[in-house]
Amino acid sequence: MNILVLNCGSSSVKFQIIATDETRAAQNSDECLAKGLIERVGGLALISFEAAGRSCLKEDAPIRDYREAVKRIAQWLESPQSEIQGIRSLSDIHAVGHRVVHGGEKFKSSIVIDKDVENGIGDCMDLAPLHNPANLRGIRAVRDIFGATLPQIAVFDTAFHSTMPETSYLYPIPYHFYRRLKIRRYGFHGISHQYIAMRYQTLMGVSPHEVDIISLHLGNGSSVCAIKGGKSFDTSMGFTPLEGLVMGTRSGDIDPSIIEYISHKEGMSLTEIVAMLNRESGLLGISGITSDMRELLDEEEESHDRRAHLAIDIFCLRARRYIGAYLAEMGGAKAIVFTGGIGANSPQIRGRICAGLEPLGLTLDSGKNSAGSLGEERVISTPESRIQAYVIAANEELVIAREVFRLASAEKR
Ligand code: ADP
């Protein structure tokens, strides 16, 4: 089955076409036939499409909205120049999977999209005002351009965390805020953490209930997930992705009283302060230079910039703090796994996060940590380490494709 996986972000559309079925999934031989990205939807967009091992297209063109973006993807898929293996017309796409950011309490697993589901995604709009509307526009655009009979499936970034117990997801504020406004911890990056759980299970040849790991997704956005018995038990992002670790431009955990204090002292509105915490804080806020970890590491090494060094140290300390907290919550873990742009690619950051964790049972092998190509899947702890450490590159698209296959083939039966 050829599956179009679509990720409509707040101003971009990413896609992959993945060929998968039961045999491929069992043999882990699912194949990415093509992928692409349209950035700056709503203006002069940057388009880059690539058919695996064949063609590649890069251009700037005005793309007004998500409908035009999906149309541009469809045109490319059908054009003879794209040369995508097995795809000649839109009828060679058998189902579409959408990464939907927020499923609220309504969607605890992936689901075939119909009118009710669309309304449900709309109902969660307040919880993800930038992302859920973009996801809905993507769903409608696919229906218009690929036809109403093509199965579309929603895979939610919050769903993996729906197994968190109340003790993990409730905030200790008056209970009626949960009852009336659904204020609770939802968690994000669920599809990425689910992939890590799935991949770890395959690599170790164990059953799901034996997957007791801590997954660290470290990228521009970062989160940690305590996975117990293959299920999310706790995670660092909360009501919104602002909670938890230090991120590229997000503060992560802070004392909420700071908000009132800044408002009072600086005359800033609540909206301005929340925007500052989301867009001007984190690595960027502390360093005053950049939100990009690779650039910060270069600054630290070349210019010995004090604040670049401080930003990285705080990032690593907070990650280590969550590892410690989750080890305590879970009563120990078998492994910790690093993923995301920083987690999979930076031996230095992995080393700095794990420094001093030896008494807790985790010893990195510095050779294995530094060896290997960028993002290469491998063990990076010593053979004696009681808790193992792994690098596993993120692959959210694969989880979405397999979910789509599962639901779309069940629909057919
Ligand atoms: P997003 O959360 O937007 O998907 P990514 O997972 O791609 O982001 O992560 C982007 C981050 O990964 C950036 O801070 C980038 O500097 C960092 N990164 C990528 N490669 C490396 C590397 N080799 N060393 C250190 N950081 C890296």
Side-chain angles (χ1 to χ4, degrees):
M1 188 181 268
N2 296 327
I3 292 160
L4 171 63
V5 175
L6 262 190
N7 183 353
C8 295
S10 51
S11 65
S12 69
V13 177
K14 261 195 227 169
F15 75 90
Q16 279 194 17
I17 296 174
I18 297 181
T20 189
D21 54 37
E22 249 155 57
T23 320
R24 281 179 188 266
Q27 296 170 349
N28 209 30
S29 62
D30 323 66
E31 202 176 344
C32 173
L33 305 176
K35 60 182 176 184
L37 171 65
I38 303 183
E39 289 171 283
R40 292 203 224 128
V41 173
L44 184 63
L46 304 173
I47 299 176
S48 61
F49 296 161
E50 192 187 326
R54 298 186 184 204
S55 69
C56 124
L57 172 125
K58 278 197 191 308
E59 65 178 28
D60 299 348
I63 298 278
R64 210 173 9 182
D65 52 25
Y66 292 90
R67 199 175 180 286
E68 266 192 24
V70 172
K71 196 165 182 186
R72 186 69 195 84
I73 294 168
Q75 279 169 348
W76 182 69
L77 298 186
E78 287 194 300
S79 76
Q81 288 80 26
S82 67
E83 296 181 276
I84 306 167
Q85 184 193 328
I87 310 277
R88 275 181 194 79
S89 75
L90 296 189
S91 61
D92 292 320
I93 299 291
H94 305 121
V96 179
H98 293 267
R99 172 173 184 244
V100 179
V101 167
H102 219 306
E105 286 200 320
K106 199 178 179 89
F107 299 109
K108 295 187 178 353
S109 57
S110 310
I111 191 163
V112 178
I113 298 170
D114 59 14
K115 262 275 150 246
D116 284 348
V117 171
E118 265 183 64
N119 292 339
I121 296 172
D123 291 342
C124 301
M125 207 104 98
D126 275 359
L127 297 170
L130 284 183
H131 291 93
N132 274 29
N135 299 148
L136 275 179
R137 287 189 197 110
I139 291 166
R140 288 174 190 143
V142 168
R143 192 167 49 228
D144 287 353
I145 292 156
F146 286 73
T149 53
L150 185 67
Q152 297 198 62
I153 279 101
V155 182
F156 298 92
D157 216 20
T158 45
F160 184 64
H161 302 301
S162 67
T163 50
M164 282 197 288
E166 267 178 317
T167 40
S168 297
Y169 74 67
L170 278 183
Y171 287 108
I173 59 176
Y175 191 78
H176 66 83
F177 286 114
Y178 168 60
R179 231 180 6 227
R180 289 193 297 117
L181 302 179
K182 293 282 170 240
I183 295 179
R184 52 160 282 178
R185 309 184 61 255
Y186 290 97
F188 299 86
H189 285 157
I191 303 170
S192 173
H193 293 303
Q194 184 178 344
Y195 174 73
I196 296 302
M198 188 171 102
R199 192 69 196 130
Y200 174 84
Q201 189 195 326
T202 307
L203 286 175
M204 301 304 291
V206 293
S207 56
H209 71 267
E210 293 173 289
V211 179
D212 295 326
I213 61 175
I214 297 173
S215 162
L216 286 108
H217 179 114
L218 308 176
N220 281 320
S222 295
S223 72
V224 194
C225 184
I227 302 175
K228 198 172 168 182
K231 294 178 179 164
S232 174
F233 179 74
D234 205 348
T235 192
S236 59
M237 284 177 169
F239 181 61
T240 73
L242 186 54
E243 190 180 341
L245 296 175
V246 174
M247 305 180 217
T249 61
R250 295 190 196 120
S251 62
D253 299 330
I254 60 161
D255 180 342
S257 308
I258 295 170
I259 295 173
E260 197 214 353
Y261 192 77
I262 294 180
S263 170
H264 178 65
K265 290 283 183 189
E266 303 277 305
M268 284 167 75
S269 70
L270 292 183
T271 308
E272 286 168 335
I273 297 173
V274 172
M276 175 275 287
L277 293 173
N278 272 294
R279 298 198 208 118
E280 296 165 27
S281 302
L283 295 175
L284 172 65
I286 300 165
S287 70
I289 304 172
T290 175
S291 61
D292 188 286
M293 182 59 91
R294 216 170 348 187
E295 290 174 17
L296 274 184
L297 286 164
D298 289 346
E299 279 295 325
E300 188 188 39
E301 192 182 316
E302 286 158 20
S303 331
H304 305 286
D305 187 275
R306 191 186 84 82
R307 276 168 51 193
H309 177 71
L310 193 58
I312 300 169
D313 270 356
I314 296 174
F315 178 94
C316 295
L317 173 79
R318 296 258 171 143
R320 195 181 317 133
R321 179 183 297 172
Y322 268 95
I323 293 175
Y326 286 172
L327 282 174
E329 272 188 47
M330 296 167 74
K334 294 190 184 111
I336 68 165
V337 182
F338 288 95
T339 192
I342 302 171
N345 296 323
S346 177
Q348 210 192 122
I349 297 299
R350 293 192 297 261
R352 281 161 79 165
I353 289 174
C354 294
L357 289 182
E358 294 79 7
L360 295 186
L362 176 69
T363 310
L364 279 201
D365 180 318
S366 57
K368 288 181 190 162
N369 183 32
S370 310
S373 53
L374 283 185
E376 188 182 315
E377 192 171 274
R378 62 193 189 279
V379 180
I380 54 168
S381 47
T382 62
E384 297 75 33
S385 181
R386 192 159 42 78
I387 301 171
Q388 291 186 309
Y390 284 85
V391 170
I392 298 178
N395 195 346
E396 289 155 291
E397 290 79 9
L398 185 64
V399 173
I400 298 175
R402 289 193 184 167
E403 287 287 281
V404 170
F405 175 74
R406 183 174 64 81
L407 288 169
S409 36
E411 272 278 286
K412 268 195 195 159
R413 274 183 223 130

